[in-house]
Amino acid sequence: MIQWITFLLFSLLAVVSSLGVVLLPNPVYVILSLLSSLIAIAGVFFVAGAELVGALQLLIYAVAVTVFYVFVLTAVPWEKALKKDSHYRVEGVLSFPILLLLYLEILLTFSLGISVSPKGQIKELSKKFGNTEVIGSILFSKYFFAFELVSLVLLIGMIGAVIIGRKEAQTYDSNTP
């Protein structure tokens, strides 16, 4: 019962924090809401028994990505960062029902005890080798291409953010007398 309540609390915190990411006008508050959402998602992973994924969520996303966003925020001038007429807010608010349906699906799966492998292959491998080895073997065999593709997309996004930050800084520097 405690596991169920903890799951609900972390899920509720993740949903509320995600709304803060979409709706708050101040970029500093948006980053804090993003950090809160990422920590809540890591909590959901810990409650679900995926300790490695929860730890990776904390290390990679909650720390590295948030620090990267703070770095980009400091590189972009405040006049550009405080722009309030963002056209992405509408898409964010419209995607909320989809996010809510996904959380309801997770909640239903968690409450019914539906297993990813009904025959228990993953649970058997996890008992034999451990959680880390099973995730590593599945990630680097069956999902290797997807893993490398996501790594490439993150690298391109990081390079693009640095280029945009540098362009904006050069634009504002050239306009000052």
Side-chain angles (χ1 to χ4, degrees):
M1 186 65 174
I2 300 234
Q3 186 178 12
W4 176 254
I5 293 170
T6 309
F7 175 79
L8 287 176
L9 288 175
F10 278 128
S11 299
L12 181 66
L13 178 64
V15 169
V16 170
S17 298
S18 298
L19 282 174
V21 170
V22 176
L23 298 175
L24 291 173
N26 191 333
V28 175
Y29 295 147
V30 168
I31 290 175
L32 288 175
S33 292
L34 176 67
L35 180 62
S36 173
S37 177
L38 293 173
I39 291 172
I41 292 169
V44 168
F45 285 133
F46 282 123
V47 169
E51 295 87 9
L52 176 68
V53 180
L56 290 174
Q57 174 78 17
L58 284 175
L59 290 174
I60 295 172
Y61 292 109
V63 175
V65 172
T66 306
V67 167
F68 177 71
Y69 284 148
V70 169
F71 172 71
V72 169
L73 184 64
T74 58
V76 175
W78 276 97
E79 297 86 18
K80 181 75 174 172
L82 289 175
K83 190 175 176 182
K84 294 188 186 200
D85 53 310
S86 174
H87 60 279
Y88 294 115
R89 292 184 197 275
V90 174
E91 286 88 350
V93 171
L94 291 177
S95 66
F96 179 71
I98 297 170
L99 178 72
L100 189 62
L101 284 174
L102 289 174
Y103 269 105
L104 288 175
E105 178 190 10
I106 292 170
L107 187 66
L108 182 66
T109 304
F110 187 75
S111 65
L112 294 177
I114 298 173
S115 177
V116 176
S117 61
K119 296 179 183 175
Q121 302 98 334
I122 294 178
K123 187 181 272 187
E124 203 172 289
L125 281 174
S126 180
K127 286 180 182 176
K128 185 176 180 182
F129 295 111
N131 197 8
T132 308
E133 289 84 2
V134 171
I135 289 175
S137 67
I138 292 172
L139 185 64
F140 290 116
S141 61
K142 188 174 182 181
Y143 298 107
F144 182 73
F145 181 71
F147 180 74
E148 290 299 321
L149 190 65
V150 167
S151 300
L152 185 65
V153 168
L154 287 173
L155 178 66
I156 291 170
M158 181 176 66
I159 292 170
V162 169
I163 289 172
I164 288 171
R166 290 186 72 200
K167 261 189 192 176
E168 294 294 332
Q170 291 171 357
T171 303
Y172 282 101
D173 287 342
S174 64
N175 290 339
T176 56

